[in-house]
Amino acid sequence: MPTTIDCANGYYLTFGELKQAAEAYAASHPAGAAEALETADRARRGEFRVPFSMLAGEWVGLGTPIDWLYNPSRDPEFTWVLNRHGHLRAMGKAYLLTGDESYATDAAAQLADWIRSCPAPEGEAYEEATYFQKPGPWRLLETGVRPLSWIFAYACMEPVWRRDANWMAMFKEALAAHAAYLSAHMGDPAINHAIMHMQGLQAISVLLGDHPRAAFWRQLALERLELCILRQVGEDGVQTELAVHYHNVAIECFALPYLLARKTGDRFPDAYRARLAAMADFASATVRPGGTSSPLSDSDCNRWGLRKLALLGEVLEDDALRARGEPDWEDVWIAGPGIAEGWAAREGEGDALAGSAGVGGSGIGEPGAGGSGADSSDTGLSYRFFPHAGYHILRDPQHYLLFDAAPLGGAHGHADALQLEWFYRGRAVFMDNGRYTYEEGAGRRYFKATATHNTVTVDGLDQTEYVSSQRWSDREATVALHRSVHQADYTLLDASHDGYRRLSDPATHRRWLIADRQLDALILVDWLIASGGASPGAAFLSPSRYDGARGGRPSR
């Protein structure tokens, strides 16, 4: 393993490069700079806004000193995300943007308080420590993500933090404790959490390069990341949890260790890069008219698909991927200020940029390294099939159509076999609700249910029986694809699932989907194969005052 480290702060950029990034960020993205300053100022007062939780839109006061375990909701995501310490990133940005050292000293004090009040657990059973829904701040996911926030903050505020030798010793000891915990407890490599476990371990091993265990941590992280990408990403380039949101998250989580390894002189196998590049195809294909990604299963409605494409292009130094993506100014803090110049030039291209990214155009879903399909550039027609995942995506000048003939997808899956999303002339007709919440209760069950997806129910039941927020019964609905015919004037998809074969009166749901381009029509044919007693129902979720360019919530 190489011993020369080009980024000894554990980050992708030096302090000087981060200073330049801050200047470019403030000049080109003043709204982001203002948001970082507000987040940092409120954090100094013990107020936090916790994304992805049910209180994501609210500022919540946690007292002085901060109570890191306080949760005013029933949503475990609140405690988890709070203890990822994303606010320290904002405080690091605030220091670089203003030069005010009080941001650095206040951040150091908060971090020291957390280290004292939240020590690593001892005496846990291995199964408890590795349970992916474990409550509290030392769930493996937070144990991997939190050091990434600390190391970014350190890279931003290094001149101030390094003045206090005692504080630095405590900081490094705490990072070593995280590394020890991560290397002693191996999460399931088949889920996205495991990527972030090793992403944190890799970064710690670089920052603590002179630690006796650093070489072991680094080797373990690289090997486990390779295992994760082979387990999680199919040959068609789709992340196996089958949620678009987590697919796009996984792109970043696999890409950034690749970037750090390149800077440290480490090397991932060529197969790692190839599988990472293949993920771009699905991220691109699932971008709907307006630029948001289809929120399948436990996904949120956002523009991450386009933005992760742009980041992947920067990491892989691939101009074609850069052109398919949408610039995200937050990536200046990763790739450096140099990318800002290229983005500024692209912003002047207007519609040309939107077309290249597929926003309202036909540029999405071009054949690539991932799924199979057909494309006709003269008609703007694109059909993409991802065979290992089971998704079919059709796009032409009038339609965006996604047909779900996929497996359940594990804990993040919804009971949605044979559902579809359909946009006509850029407007949503039928769409997916997405995740909404992880909080156990009626809302969670509602949004995962068959009845809240564009498919058929039998006797009002789910295709696969719901057990809890992150668990389904062992008998999962299985989808069979019978026909897939794609011609210039029509596409026919024919599939069925056996989820209702478990009933006392077993039933099989079969669906034909016909996109007729001569008639400019979408034809659905559903039937149940049963002996007689089954009671069918159908749900089609149409948006209420929905604007496809802005995103929104559908209603039945």
Side-chain angles (χ1 to χ4, degrees), residues 115-163:
I115 292 170
R116 286 190 295 267
S117 60
C118 299
E122 297 179 357
E124 289 178 299
Y126 190 85
E127 293 75 12
E128 178 186 357
T130 56
Y131 178 46
F132 79 109
Q133 289 290 94
K134 171 186 170 182
W138 282 89
R139 185 175 66 151
L140 280 175
L141 178 57
E142 282 62 56
T143 309
V145 172
R146 186 165 49 244
L148 299 174
S149 297
W150 291 9
I151 289 170
F152 175 80
Y154 171 71
C156 293
M157 299 183 281
E158 182 179 358
V160 179
W161 283 11
R162 286 181 65 86
R163 292 177 196 159

Side-chain angles (χ1 to χ4, degrees), residues 112 120 163 243 281 483 488 544:
R163 292 177 196 159
D281 215 29
R483 287 181 292 174
S544 175

Side-chain angles (χ1 to χ4, degrees), residues 22-336:
E23 293 171 2
Y25 189 76
S28 302
H29 190 39
E35 182 179 356
L37 290 172
E38 181 185 15
T39 299
D41 289 336
R42 285 182 175 270
R44 294 202 288 183
R45 301 195 298 267
E47 298 174 11
F48 300 87
R49 190 160 53 193
V50 181
F52 308 116
S53 74
M54 290 301 291
L55 299 177
E58 303 177 25
W59 291 102
V60 179
L62 300 181
T64 305
I66 296 166
D67 184 348
W68 299 103
L69 302 181
Y70 174 66
N71 185 348
S73 73
R74 294 187 303 145
D75 185 359
E77 199 81 9
F78 184 93
T79 300
W80 289 331
V81 177
L82 172 69
N83 284 277
R84 295 174 194 172
H85 291 177
H87 69 283
L88 291 178
R89 294 176 178 266
M91 295 178 84
K93 294 175 184 178
Y95 168 67
L96 290 174
L97 290 165
T98 65
D100 184 347
E101 291 191 0
S102 66
Y103 286 111
T105 55
D106 287 350
Q110 284 193 0
L111 203 157
D113 174 69
W114 186 93
I115 292 170
R116 286 190 295 267
S117 60
C118 299
E122 297 179 357
E124 289 178 299
Y126 190 85
E127 293 75 12
E128 178 186 357
T130 56
Y131 178 46
F132 79 109
Q133 289 290 94
K134 171 186 170 182
W138 282 89
R139 185 175 66 151
L140 280 175
L141 178 57
E142 282 62 56
T143 309
V145 172
R146 186 165 49 244
L148 299 174
S149 297
W150 291 9
I151 289 170
F152 175 80
Y154 171 71
C156 293
M157 299 183 281
E158 182 179 358
V160 179
W161 283 11
R162 286 181 65 86
R163 292 177 196 159
D164 187 336
N166 291 332
W167 188 93
M168 282 299 301
M170 176 194 65
F171 175 58
K172 291 183 176 183
E173 183 179 350
L175 283 173
H178 281 71
Y181 196 85
L182 290 166
S183 59
H185 303 95
M186 297 291 102
D188 182 356
I191 65 174
N192 69 83
H193 290 199
I195 318 170
M196 289 172 271
H197 304 166
M198 295 299 106
Q199 192 181 356
L201 186 61
Q202 179 200 25
I204 295 170
S205 74
V206 175
L207 178 57
L208 303 185
D210 57 353
H211 192 284
R213 300 281 286 172
F216 165 71
W217 293 334
R218 214 157 137 210
Q219 184 69 33
L220 175 63
L222 296 177
E223 291 182 0
R224 291 281 295 181
L225 284 163
E226 182 184 356
L227 175 63
C228 285
I229 205 167
L230 293 175
R231 290 280 184 90
Q232 292 186 36
V233 182
E235 293 181 7
D236 57 3
V238 183
Q239 204 266 351
T240 55
E241 291 171 286
L242 304 181
V244 175
H245 175 90
Y246 286 104
H247 176 90
N248 294 332
V249 167
I251 287 177
E252 178 173 333
C253 294
F254 282 126
L256 294 185
Y258 185 90
L259 175 62
L260 185 59
R262 195 175 75 211
K263 289 181 175 289
T264 60
D266 292 318
R267 179 180 173 84
F268 279 103
D270 291 343
Y272 185 99
R273 179 190 171 97
R275 198 64 63 97
L276 176 58
M279 296 181 75
D281 215 29
F282 186 66
S284 180
T286 50
V287 176
R288 310 181 296 188
T292 59
S293 297
S294 289
L296 303 177
S297 299
D298 274 350
S299 295
D300 296 328
C301 185
N302 55 43
R303 303 180 71 88
W304 282 13
L306 289 174
R307 291 172 180 172
K308 301 313 175 189
L309 281 172
L311 175 62
L312 186 58
E314 295 297 333
V315 170
L316 298 182
E317 300 176 310
D318 185 321
D319 288 338
L321 286 177
R322 289 185 180 108
R324 290 165 69 184
E326 175 181 272
D328 183 349
W329 281 104
E330 296 304 318
D331 292 342
V332 171
W333 303 102
I334 297 170

Side-chain angles (χ1 to χ4, degrees), residues 329-414:
W329 281 104
E330 296 304 318
D331 292 342
V332 171
W333 303 102
I334 297 170
I339 61 173
E341 297 177 6
W343 291 350
R346 290 183 65 194
E347 284 181 342
E349 297 175 13
D351 292 339
L353 171 60
S356 69
V359 182
S362 59
I364 293 180
E366 306 300 323
S372 61
D375 178 72
S376 178
S377 57
D378 56 338
T379 62
L381 173 63
S382 173
Y383 166 65
R384 309 294 293 121
F385 173 43
F386 296 89
H388 292 274
Y391 291 117
H392 301 254
I393 300 170
L394 176 70
R395 187 185 305 272
D396 63 29
Q398 302 294 331
H399 303 272
Y400 167 82
L401 180 64
L402 186 151
F403 182 59
D404 182 348
L408 184 64
H412 284 302
H414 288 194

